[in-house]
Amino acid sequence: VQLQASGGGLVKAGGSLRLSCAASGRSFSRYVMGWLRQAPGKEREFVAAISWSGGSTYYADSVKGRFTISRDNAKNTVYLQMNSLKPEDTAVYYCAAGSNYGLGHYIERGGMDYWGKGTQVTVSS
């Protein structure tokens, strides 16, 4: 599967951005999808994930109540709506997909099976 993330940019603290990730392949509706991020000098962080049906979601404590993950299986696209952005949200955000296990497995593992190129999100204070 190929993943292409977009929507990153520079925003002031308190602002919003919506990331999109377009996926190739016919089996998108069967994939667990997720967003991870990595800031310079920091470990990769699993930000959010969504089950194949969209019925289950996961959020890191650091983004709960501010970020919303969603998917449109008809468009092979997953989104990350980011509100009330903080400078500490600055990172490269990566779209990822999991094809072999359920949502819980990938959360526990802290990673997924496929990755796309990241998109930079910079939040200024």
Side-chain angles (χ1 to χ4, degrees):
V1 60
Q2 293 185 329
L3 304 168
Q4 181 65 53
S6 61
L10 173 64
V11 64
K12 292 183 178 180
S16 298
L17 283 174
R18 188 175 84 153
L19 305 183
S20 299
C21 175
S24 65
R26 300 178 181 178
S27 301
F28 175 81
S29 62
R30 300 180 183 177
Y31 297 153
V32 174
M33 299 298 297
W35 291 92
L36 296 90
R37 67 186 181 186
Q38 188 161 24
K42 294 188 177 180
E43 292 187 357
R44 180 184 64 198
E45 181 183 15
F46 206 134
V47 176
I50 188 167
S51 63
W52 65 270
S53 69
S56 297
T57 56
Y58 162 84
Y59 297 96
D61 287 342
S62 58
V63 306
K64 276 182 182 176
R66 300 187 298 121
F67 290 12
T68 303
I69 189 171
S70 62
R71 66 189 297 160
D72 186 337
N73 287 342
K75 295 182 178 180
N76 281 17
T77 303
V78 63
Y79 306 96
L80 186 68
Q81 178 67 44
M82 305 186 295
N83 298 328
S84 302
L85 283 161
K86 305 175 181 179
E88 50 264 45
D89 293 319
T90 295
V92 177
Y93 283 70
Y94 298 91
C95 175
S99 63
N100 298 316
Y101 303 99
L103 179 61
H105 170 86
Y106 294 108
I107 296 168
E108 185 174 350
R109 195 173 92 182
M112 305 189 83
D113 301 324
Y114 306 99
W115 297 77
K117 291 184 179 179
T119 184
Q120 176 71 46
V121 171
T122 302
V123 184
S124 63
S125 56

